[in-house]
Amino acid sequence: MLVLHTFGPAFGLPDLSPFVLKTMIQLKMAGLPFEVRTGSLGRAPKGKLPFLQDGDTVVADSTFIRWHIERTRGIDLDAGLSAAQRGQAWALEKMLDDHLYWLAMHNRWLEPGNFERGPKVFLQSVLPGPLKWFVPGLVQGKFRRTLQLQGIGRHTDEERAALVRRDIEALAQVLGDKPCLMGDQPTAVDAMAAAGVMTGLLPEFTGPIRDTLLQQPRLLAYAQRMQARFFPEIGQLPGCPEVLKAA
């Protein structure tokens, strides 16, 4: 049995991490049963989640998890795509993984209201004793330094908002009127896109990401389709009443 180590459910979603949700969706796309366990960053091979246990093999990082299950199970999550489409899907996924993600982390961790409603609440719910009172601030400081080094933290609020709009508009333009990003059926890139939109819509995190998503009815409908297909147990996508009204 595959075992996926995650942060755990939060704010109505199976996990708050888009990378955890991405991996969950890709495992479901592949039709592979798996067990979910709440993990520990201290025990994670690369100090981050998710990571996958497959017998005696441990695989860290969502991309390497995907490649592992494809290689060992003879699965191709991009089956049916041309070489050009595979290249386009990979480029789009990296925009989401390595650009929009960091914009989301800045919005989540460094905007005071969002931090108080989101990461601080989550960490205080899982940390024991006195740790819950000082660890959230330490983690926030780590994100501040990381985002400064990464570059997103050096931009103004207006510049970050412009980058958010460009990324989300690009995603909506690629989707168009199709059910999924690359056609009628979901492929690997849909896992990250769905995860990013679902976490971006959480009402706990106000700002340009949620505001821009609420102006994209095609992406809202897409997120609802992906949630209904891969996480039907949720019942309703968090933020859905406002989403439906906006759409």
Side-chain angles (χ1 to χ4, degrees), residues 203-220:
E204 287 79 8
F205 304 115
T206 60
I209 293 177
R210 189 165 193 272
D211 291 346
T212 305
L213 286 171
L214 289 173
Q215 296 169 8
Q216 296 289 342
R218 289 173 176 171
L219 287 180
L220 303 181

Side-chain angles (χ1 to χ4, degrees), residues 26-60:
Q26 290 182 343
L27 288 168
K28 292 182 179 189
M29 283 182 182
L32 298 174
F34 62 97
E35 177 187 344
V36 175
R37 293 182 189 171
T38 301
S40 166
L41 290 175
R43 297 177 182 176
K46 295 183 179 180
K48 61 180 185 176
L49 298 170
F51 69 90
L52 183 75
Q53 281 184 284
D54 183 7
D56 294 330
T57 302
V58 176
V59 186

Side-chain angles (χ1 to χ4, degrees), residues 73-90:
R73 269 63 175 185
I75 293 166
D76 181 1
L77 294 179
D78 284 341
L81 299 188
S82 67
Q85 288 175 318
R86 287 173 184 267
Q88 292 162 0
W90 178 253

